[in-house]
């Protein structure tokens, strides 16, 4: 036993003595999650069980089943999500395979292009595909007699928007592999196809399942794309918007939201089960796999990567091009009129500034709350306690709740006149809170992963030396976990700038976010200004990402010089 372990075992204090404030802070975090997550979801569920007279019944569910077109919307939502998943996951797998398992040049560039759809609202893809394949589209003939306004357009735009989510998972899944397995396969004269089927795919199967569940959930709950390019094609996400905003029927909207929640929760449960069964792909004796140049593999993968990256740039490029031409396709003269109209005449400048404020507040307030809560779960008290289990469960729940469903729950809970928190409704505060809750799970997992890499002996030794836990957190834990903290900040900012579904029910004229303003412009037939405002958001998030990279480099040089120190 080393000196640190001996010291910590000798002077180890009970958890309650080490961190008397830890339990109080964790209790406050649990209270906040209950108020802003469980209670809105409870209000959604209870409202769906009330009839017009306020009596408990299943009348609204019977109404839902009898509504004309609702069964069609349910079926359309399912099969479109299935088709998007079947297209997106193989494309993302091959793209990730080209990045991780080949000797392609400029891998960083291909990865950056693959993740580029994250920089803008999902509406960007829908707007671009209208310009490419719409009534006056440049490539309209490619679709023959098929219209892009409907399932074809929804599938194409959703594949574009969900691709980076699958790519992030599969790049990680293919990043680690034991090179000894491939050496053994070569020694046994296994063919390239047999190595792929018996070594590569089994090692990546959990990543493939997780990517499929994430894409399926994204497709089911996506609202902006079918609203812009769906035409008269019914899906559940749009039906929720119609019931709540168009018809002001909150009870029926609650029922549709619960129905939408079911397939997403199913995908979430499947993903959780897969993660529990996942085992480490690398052992202590493993040898990292390093691909060797092979033109028979690298040539086709380079061609595939060029085609897919080119298609993604064409989508983003068309949105940018649409924003600077006078009137597609009759007057292609370059102009900044769409930006002037959107920012000045349509009043989107205020919405853009609102989005900047919402995104900054979401990142500034959400990052410390999420990281400190994860720290309290991992580093303080008895991790098997009921309070820890409750907070951990609530931290995982938002991953399975679509933004639209969360938004309906917030309306029903915070807009109730008897709720003492009613004053939050339609304020910047509630828009920031719903963003933090909506994206809580991914950030929580990021923080927890970083914290698990730190030995709990740090806290034990600090206690034995009578160093306060706050000092240990500030001088040890936070500097070591700084990359994860910065990643959470970036993730929250970008998603708060681009999201539509979590905010579309909760804004007021004074708090209108830019992403919803773009949706309103499209509804008004102003496609050029909508593309201009979407391009402005992309430029903003891209500039923020570059600034983030520079600041991250400087901060890590200052606070984590030990990582690059020569021994």
């Amino acid at each position: 036993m080393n000196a640190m372990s001996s010291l910590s075992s000798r002077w180890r204090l009970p958890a309650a003595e080490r961190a008397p404030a830890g339990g109080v802070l964790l209790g406050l975090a649990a209270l906040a999650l209950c108020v802003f997550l469980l209670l809105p979801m409870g209000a959604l569920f209870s409202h769906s069980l009330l009839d017009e007279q306020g009596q408990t019944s299943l009348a609204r569910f019977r109404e839902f089943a009898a509504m004309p077109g609702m069964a069609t919307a349910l079926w359309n939502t399912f099969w479109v999500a299935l088709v998007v998943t079947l297209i997106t996951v193989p494309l993302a797998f091959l793209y990730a395979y080209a990045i991780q398992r080949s000797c392609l040049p400029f891998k960083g560039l291909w990865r950056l292009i693959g993740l580029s759809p994250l920089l803008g609202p999902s509406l960007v893809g829908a707007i671009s595909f209208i310009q490419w394949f719409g009534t006056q589209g440049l490539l309209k003939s490619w679709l023959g007699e098929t219209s892009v306004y409907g399932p074809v357009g929804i599938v194409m735009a959703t594949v574009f928007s969900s691709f980076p989510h699958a790519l992030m998972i599969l790049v990680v899944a293919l990043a680690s592999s034991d090179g000894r397995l491939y050496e053994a396969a070569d020694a046994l004269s296994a063919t390239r196809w047999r190595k792929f089927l018996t070594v590569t795919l089994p090692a990546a199967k959990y990543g493939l399942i997780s990517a499929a569940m994430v894409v399926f959930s994204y497709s089911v709950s996506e609202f902006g794309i079918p609203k812009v390019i769906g035409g008269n094609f019914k899906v559940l996400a749009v039906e929720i918007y119609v019931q709540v905003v168009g018809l002001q029927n909150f009870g029926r909207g609650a029922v549709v939201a619960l129905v939408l929640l079911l397939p997403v929760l199913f995908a979430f449960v499947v993903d959780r089960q897969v993660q529990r069964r996942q085992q480490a792909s690398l052992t202590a004796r493993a040898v990292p796999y390093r691909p060797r140049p092979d033109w028979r593999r690298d040539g086709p993968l380079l061609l595939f990567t060029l085609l897919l990256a080119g298609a993604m740039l064409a989508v983003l490029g068309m949105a940018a091009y649409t924003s600077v031409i006078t009137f597609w396709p009759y007057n292609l003269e370059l102009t900044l009129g769409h930006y002037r109209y959107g920012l000045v005449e349509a009043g989107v400048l205020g919405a853009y500034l609102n989005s900047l404020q919402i995104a900054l507040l979401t990142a500034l307030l959400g990052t410390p709350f999420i990281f400190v809560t994860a720290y309290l779960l991992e580093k303080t008290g008895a991790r098997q306690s009921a309070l820890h289990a409750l907070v951990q469960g609530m931290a995982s729940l938002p991953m399975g709740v679509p933004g639209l469903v969360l938004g309906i729950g917030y309306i029903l809970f915070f807009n109730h006149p008897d709720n003492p928190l009613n004053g939050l409704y339609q304020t910047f505060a509630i828009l920031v809170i719903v963003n933090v809750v909506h994206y809580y799970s991914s950030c929580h997992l990021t923080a927890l992963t970083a914290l698990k890499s730190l030995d709990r002996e740090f806290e034990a030794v600090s206690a034995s030396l009578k160093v306060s836990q706050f000092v240990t957190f500030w001088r040890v834990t936070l500097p070591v976990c700084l990359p994860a903290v910065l990643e959470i900040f970036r993730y929250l900012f970008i998603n708060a700038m681009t999201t539509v579904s979590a905010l579309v029910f909760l804004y007021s004229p004074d708090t209108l976010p830019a992403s919803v303003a773009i949706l309103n412009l499209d509804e008004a037939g102003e496609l050029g200004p909508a593309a201009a405002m979407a391009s402005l958001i992309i430029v903003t998030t891209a500039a923020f990402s570059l600034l983030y990279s520079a600041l991250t480099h400087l901060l890590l040089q200052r606070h984590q010089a030990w990582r690059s120190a020569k021994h």
Side-chain angles (χ1 to χ4, degrees), residues 53-217:
Q53 288 73 39
Q55 301 296 318
T56 302
S57 74
L58 296 176
R60 294 194 187 276
F61 287 92
R62 289 192 292 268
E63 290 177 8
F64 169 81
M67 281 177 61
M70 201 56 70
T72 301
L74 181 61
W75 168 243
N76 288 345
T77 301
F78 175 79
W79 78 257
V80 165
L82 186 61
V83 170
V84 169
T85 304
L86 292 176
I87 295 174
T88 305
V89 174
L91 289 177
F93 180 80
L94 283 177
Y95 201 90
Y97 186 86
I99 292 174
Q100 296 289 4
R101 299 296 181 88
S102 72
C103 295
L104 265 61
F106 311 114
K107 289 185 178 181
L109 175 63
W110 308 132
R111 184 169 182 171
L112 181 63
I113 294 174
L115 297 176
S116 59
L118 293 174
L119 297 177
S122 59
L123 308 174
V124 171
I127 292 172
S128 293
F129 282 112
I130 288 175
Q131 298 297 74
W132 279 114
F133 301 103
T135 305
Q136 303 293 336
L138 193 65
L139 303 178
K140 178 187 175 182
S141 60
W142 287 24
L143 296 182
E145 298 299 321
T146 305
S147 172
V148 76
Y149 299 99
V152 173
I154 293 174
V155 168
M156 289 193 296
T158 309
V159 167
F160 171 78
S161 297
S162 62
F163 179 86
H165 299 277
L167 179 64
M168 287 188 295
I169 295 172
L170 293 172
V171 163
V172 174
L174 290 170
S176 301
S177 185
D178 193 345
R180 297 176 303 169
L181 298 176
Y182 291 91
E183 293 174 0
D186 290 335
L188 295 171
S189 301
T191 63
R192 189 186 311 276
W193 181 244
R194 186 167 181 81
K195 283 190 291 185
F196 180 79
L197 291 178
T198 58
V199 180
T200 303
L201 276 183
K205 65 180 179 181
Y206 294 112
L208 283 167
I209 295 173
S210 290
M213 294 301 101
V214 167
V215 172
F216 183 84
S217 300

Side-chain angles (χ1 to χ4, degrees), residues 160-385:
F160 171 78
S161 297
S162 62
F163 179 86
H165 299 277
L167 179 64
M168 287 188 295
I169 295 172
L170 293 172
V171 163
V172 174
L174 290 170
S176 301
S177 185
D178 193 345
R180 297 176 303 169
L181 298 176
Y182 291 91
E183 293 174 0
D186 290 335
L188 295 171
S189 301
T191 63
R192 189 186 311 276
W193 181 244
R194 186 167 181 81
K195 283 190 291 185
F196 180 79
L197 291 178
T198 58
V199 180
T200 303
L201 276 183
K205 65 180 179 181
Y206 294 112
L208 283 167
I209 295 173
S210 290
M213 294 301 101
V214 167
V215 172
F216 183 84
S217 300
Y218 181 95
S219 305
V220 166
S221 58
E222 173 57 36
F223 162 71
I225 289 173
K227 187 73 174 64
V228 171
I229 203 173
N232 295 322
F233 188 76
K234 290 181 176 292
V235 293
L236 285 179
V238 176
E239 286 303 311
I240 293 175
Y241 182 80
V242 170
Q243 294 297 328
V244 174
V245 176
L247 302 178
Q248 294 292 302
N249 192 328
F250 293 97
R252 190 174 293 171
V255 172
V256 180
L258 285 177
V259 174
L260 178 68
L261 186 61
L262 293 178
V264 178
L265 283 179
F266 171 76
F268 171 71
V269 170
V270 171
D271 187 45
R272 296 289 291 182
Q273 292 298 322
V274 167
Q275 290 181 16
R276 288 180 181 178
R277 295 182 181 181
Q278 186 172 1
Q279 299 177 351
S281 59
L282 289 178
T283 64
R285 298 181 179 179
V287 176
Y289 173 72
R290 301 187 185 280
R292 294 189 294 266
D294 186 341
W295 67 268
R296 291 173 298 177
R297 176 201 63 208
D298 297 342
L301 285 177
L302 179 60
L303 178 62
F304 169 80
T305 303
L306 286 171
L307 290 174
L308 195 56
M312 300 182 78
L313 290 177
V315 173
L316 293 174
M318 178 57 81
Y321 182 58
T322 301
S323 72
V324 294
I325 57 172
T326 302
F327 186 66
W328 175 275
Y330 304 106
N331 186 350
L332 302 182
E333 183 180 349
L334 297 181
T335 178
L336 294 177
H338 295 315
Y339 287 89
R340 184 170 53 254
Y341 175 85
L343 291 173
V344 180
E345 297 180 35
V348 182
L349 176 60
Y352 173 73
L353 296 177
N354 287 344
S355 283
L356 280 178
Q357 183 177 346
I358 292 167
L360 284 172
L361 288 174
T362 299
L364 288 171
L365 300 178
T367 301
F369 177 75
I370 294 169
F371 185 77
V372 171
T373 302
Y375 171 80
L376 294 172
L377 281 175
E378 180 64 23
K379 299 296 183 180
T380 66
R383 284 185 285 179
Q384 303 303 318
S385 68

